[in-house]
Amino acid sequence: MPVIQIDAGSMSKEKKAELIKALTDTASSILGIPAQAFVVIIRENSLDNVGTGGKQLSELHKQ
């Protein structure tokens, strides 16, 4: 059972469904594995919980 994991910001239920379908279809096509075998896990992260260069993304996006 292949697992695709992605960390992203918050998104709507519709966007999650679109992302799951696109990731599954692409991986299935490239790897030649049936789409039903894939599990997709989306982890949503607040901009306060992610940092780069020693700063939170929420602070970087204010500028």
Side-chain angles (χ1 to χ4, degrees), residues 7-48:
D7 287 274
S10 297
M11 64 186 88
S12 68
K13 183 176 180 176
E14 293 78 20
K15 284 291 182 188
K16 289 178 198 177
E18 184 180 350
L19 182 60
I20 289 168
K21 179 163 180 24
L23 291 171
T24 300
D25 289 349
T26 301
S28 175
S29 174
I30 290 170
L31 298 174
I33 298 171
Q36 296 80 3
F38 286 88
V39 172
V40 177
I41 300 170
I42 299 172
R43 290 188 297 253
E44 293 181 284
N45 296 296
S46 157
L47 294 181
D48 289 336

Side-chain angles (χ1 to χ4, degrees), residues 46-63:
S46 157
L47 294 181
D48 289 336
N49 295 341
V50 180
T52 183
K55 295 186 179 184
Q56 291 173 301
L57 290 183
S58 58
E59 291 301 315
L60 295 173
H61 285 281
K62 285 182 182 178
Q63 301 171 3

